[in-house]
Amino acid sequence: RALLLAADTVAAPSTAASARFALAELDAASGKVTEATERLERLLIEFPTSAVAPEARRLRDALRRTAVPGGAG
């Protein structure tokens, strides 16, 4: 996790999007749906042409569908 956080920097755009996606997957797997969704949205805004963008959109949309109404999750 620490290495992924270090790689998530706009100074290294070639690795940042992949690192951010991996962090979002870790968040989602540990039940941190809100954090994962927010991380994916930032990825899509900052790196819209990244190779991981299509998969990030799919994961974000899946997390949105599973989110509990009222903001919990």
Side-chain angles (χ1 to χ4, degrees):
R1 187 163 181 84
L3 292 174
L4 291 170
L5 286 168
D8 181 7
T9 173
V10 293
S14 61
T15 59
S18 295
R20 193 171 298 176
F21 181 72
L23 287 164
E25 287 183 312
L26 289 173
D27 288 341
S30 63
K32 298 176 184 176
V33 175
T34 301
E35 292 89 340
T37 303
E38 290 172 357
R39 194 178 303 274
L40 291 166
E41 289 174 353
R42 286 192 312 273
L43 183 161
L44 292 168
I45 290 168
E46 294 178 24
F47 307 103
T49 60
S50 167
V52 298
E55 189 63 25
R57 281 187 199 88
R58 285 190 285 276
L59 180 55
R60 180 203 56 194
D61 293 346
L63 292 172
R64 284 179 174 174
R65 286 191 298 274
T66 62
V68 177

